[in-house]
Amino acid sequence: MTTTLMTDAGPVAPDAPVTRTGGIPLAPAGTEWPHCAECTGPMQFLAQFFLEDGPGAIAVFMCQNQPGLCQAWDPVAGGNRALLFPSEGLVPVPLPGPDGEGTDADAADGWSVLGLGAVRAVARAAAPEPDYFDACAAWAARTGRATAEVLGQLGGTPYWLQNDETPDCPGCAQPMAFTAQLDEGPDPVTAMNFGSGSAYLHACGPCGRAAFGWQC
Ligand SMILES: [Zn+2]
Ligand SMILES: [Zn+2]
């Protein structure tokens, strides 16, 4: 078994229909910007995945509102959201309205409660090492690039930093399929905030559900 690494492929348009971190989420027309179930504030958009061999496209959000007490790491507490859609016919999700805590100006001004300060395209790199940690180190050695330029992996085996936290699907009660692991990225100013840890994306294609959580 090999590992499919996600590596930093540099800047890309904020609404590009590609797998990327940052920018603007794409979803079916009429989709509202998700709000945190704990503090009710609008969430920060982290990443968009287009899963060529998987169940579709996934947009990932996480609460970054002050004072930062929401359980954004927990796959079921409501402090984050992973939305699974068909890959076709997606449009940019409108930013939350004037009652939301974020505005267009915030989003354009770098890191904000609504979005990351940079948009990074994700390239795929096949690695022969079955273990994610080994694959990161070997990829860095082969390419001469930093391991921080590995943004995660697609499919494969999750590299849990703590206990296995595979969520059960709220639709069918079966364990969800591991879909991607996400790391914070090379730029500390604009990186996703997983407490220097890793995030884990799971999905259930038949039920159209996805779940997100992180560990450090
Ligand atoms: Zn919150
Ligand atoms: Zn299910």
Side-chain angles (χ1 to χ4, degrees):
M1 195 163 154
T2 60
T3 299
T4 302
L5 295 176
M6 297 192 292
T7 60
D8 183 11
V12 68
D15 59 352
V18 299
T19 297
R20 54 182 158 80
T21 62
I24 297 168
L26 302 178
T31 302
E32 290 189 4
W33 194 280
H35 286 64
C36 176
E38 296 190 56
C39 71
T40 74
M43 293 199 217
Q44 186 184 57
F45 171 65
L46 295 184
Q48 184 99 40
F49 293 87
F50 282 87
L51 304 164
E52 290 160 22
D53 315 317
I58 299 179
V60 177
F61 298 82
M62 182 172 83
C63 181
Q64 285 289 316
N65 293 294
Q66 297 299 329
L69 298 177
C70 298
Q71 299 175 70
W73 66 88
D74 189 303
V76 297
N80 64 53
R81 205 72 47 84
L83 302 175
L84 172 60
F85 307 116
S87 299
E88 302 296 322
L90 306 183
V91 297
V93 179
L95 290 166
D99 292 329
E101 293 181 34
T103 65
D104 269 333
D106 289 337
D109 198 28
W111 194 94
S112 79
V113 294
L114 291 184
L116 304 176
V119 191
R120 293 183 179 281
V122 170
R124 294 171 178 228
E129 299 80 12
D131 177 89
Y132 173 60
F133 189 81
D134 292 344
C136 289
W139 176 85
R142 275 196 299 277
T143 60
R145 294 171 65 182
T147 52
E149 292 183 63
V150 177
L151 297 175
Q153 64 171 335
L154 286 167
T157 304
Y159 188 87
W160 297 107
L161 299 177
Q162 306 291 339
N163 295 329
D164 181 337
E165 290 184 324
T166 302
D168 289 335
C169 174
C172 65
Q174 298 299 308
M176 296 176 110
F178 176 64
T179 303
Q181 180 158 353
L182 202 53
D183 283 318
E184 291 186 341
D187 184 346
V189 176
T190 58
M192 296 170 279
N193 179 7
F194 306 138
S196 298
S198 282
Y200 306 87
L201 182 64
H202 289 77
C204 180
C207 294
R209 306 254 198 175
F212 180 77
W214 54 266
Q215 301 179 343
C216 61

